[in-house]
Amino acid sequence: MENIEYTFASEIAKEDYANILESRIFKEWLAAGKEKFKVTKIHFASVDFLRKERRPLFIKLEATATLPDGRPVHGIVLVRGNAVGVLVVLRCEGKKYLLLVRQPRFPISETASLEIPAGILDWTGDYRKVALSELEEEAQIVAEDSELIDLTDFWWKDDVKGFAGSCGLLDERIRLYAIERDVTPEQLKAMDGKNQTYVDENEWIRTEVLPYEEAAHKFIDGKNLIALFLYERWAKYNAEC
């Protein structure tokens, strides 16, 4: 039986308590934590909700927790749930390119951060469905499920759900995929420089097509580099088979 004390910061409305405790991202995080740690108290410091509904998007909390032998652990967590990312590899006239997106990233002071198409896992919990949705939304690419190369499954098999980008604070694990497309020069040119605007989510996205190696040397985003590493290992494995 659960024996955890819950407290909430004064700015969190009482009517939101149940929404927070019953949210998918919190329940999944707590269930995973309780498998390996003893959790006795959780204080919710702040919560950001989706604009269109009262569903938690980010939950900052501080937990009182210990290892099984009683040693305390750092308990500050930003709960946001898992995510997906897709490396888009284009082949044109014997050369490889990457289709990427640029968008503002205020936390790292970048007005046009270069990234692979990505997004948080929605309430369905379906990684592949979300990956295809993000491809269409951010990169304007309509793909079939059969085109998705599950890089996470290739590298880790069923051992992990995804890559942990900031495991000292975030619970997020990013499941990484890739797709490969053969395109004509005209198609390649048409994919470059498309703008997508999502005012409700404050997203201002622009696609960019770059030569494969040139793109790789511009990456500072962790998921880009890990996706590239996994894709190259996958390509080498399949070439040798």
Side-chain angles (χ1 to χ4, degrees):
M1 183 176 180
E2 186 179 85
N3 187 26
I4 299 175
E5 176 188 354
Y6 295 107
T7 59
F8 297 81
S10 59
E11 60 266 28
I12 299 176
K14 289 185 179 180
E15 54 265 31
D16 285 325
Y17 289 4
N19 289 339
I20 297 166
L21 294 173
E22 293 300 317
S23 64
R24 181 185 62 81
I25 59 173
F26 175 71
K27 291 175 70 175
E28 290 185 357
W29 169 79
L30 181 60
K34 286 167 60 179
E35 288 183 2
K36 299 179 180 179
F37 298 89
K38 182 179 179 181
V39 183
T40 57
K41 181 177 180 180
I42 294 177
H43 175 71
F44 294 95
S46 64
V47 182
D48 293 292
F49 295 90
L50 287 171
R51 291 173 179 266
K52 294 183 178 180
E53 53 186 291
R54 297 302 288 176
R55 181 156 56 91
L57 183 62
F58 302 111
I59 303 172
K60 184 183 179 183
L61 60 83
E62 183 170 3
T64 301
T66 65
L67 291 164
D69 61 10
R71 288 176 293 162
V73 294
H74 172 75
I76 297 176
V77 185
L78 180 59
V79 179
R80 61 167 289 167
N82 291 344
V84 299
V86 187
L87 186 76
V88 182
V89 182
L90 305 173
R91 294 184 293 246
C92 182
E93 296 186 331
K95 296 181 180 180
K96 288 199 300 185
Y97 300 81
L98 292 181
L99 175 60
L100 303 157
V101 295
R102 285 196 182 273
Q103 57 187 314
R105 291 301 193 190
F106 180 68
I108 58 170
S109 302
E110 290 286 342
T111 59
S113 176
L114 188 66
E115 303 175 20
I116 62 175
I120 60 175
L121 197 63
D122 66 12
W123 63 271
T124 67
D126 189 326
Y127 289 89
R128 299 180 73 90
K129 180 180 177 181
V130 174
L132 293 172
S133 176
E134 292 298 332
L135 271 177
E136 185 171 358
E137 179 180 306
E138 294 194 352
Q140 303 292 290
I141 289 181
V142 178
E144 299 293 330
D145 182 83
S146 59
E147 293 183 80
L148 287 178
I149 302 164
D150 193 333
L151 299 175
T152 296
D153 182 67
F154 161 72
W155 191 249
W156 289 290
K157 305 305 180 186
D158 293 326
D159 292 338
V160 299
K161 292 182 179 180
F163 155 67
S166 184
C167 54
L169 177 64
L170 292 175
D171 70 316
E172 179 188 65
R173 293 174 183 262
I174 307 174
R175 193 167 195 91
L176 296 169
Y177 296 91
I179 66 165
E180 297 178 312
R181 284 276 179 95
D182 291 309
V183 297
T184 65
E186 292 75 21
Q187 290 172 323
L188 190 72
K189 184 178 180 180
M191 290 178 172
D192 190 33
K194 288 186 175 181
N195 292 305
Q196 289 78 249
T197 298
Y198 303 98
V199 177
D200 289 342
E201 300 174 4
N202 289 337
E203 290 188 346
W204 325 98
I205 299 169
R206 182 178 177 85
T207 60
E208 185 165 339
V209 175
L210 291 171
Y212 188 91
E213 285 298 323
E214 178 184 339
H217 285 282
K218 292 180 179 293
F219 289 163
I220 61 169
D221 185 286
K223 64 180 179 290
N224 296 1
L225 292 166
I226 298 299
L228 195 69
F229 167 80
L230 296 180
Y231 170 73
E232 292 185 349
R233 290 302 181 98
W234 174 86
K236 180 180 179 182
Y237 174 81
N238 283 277
E240 293 174 349
C241 291

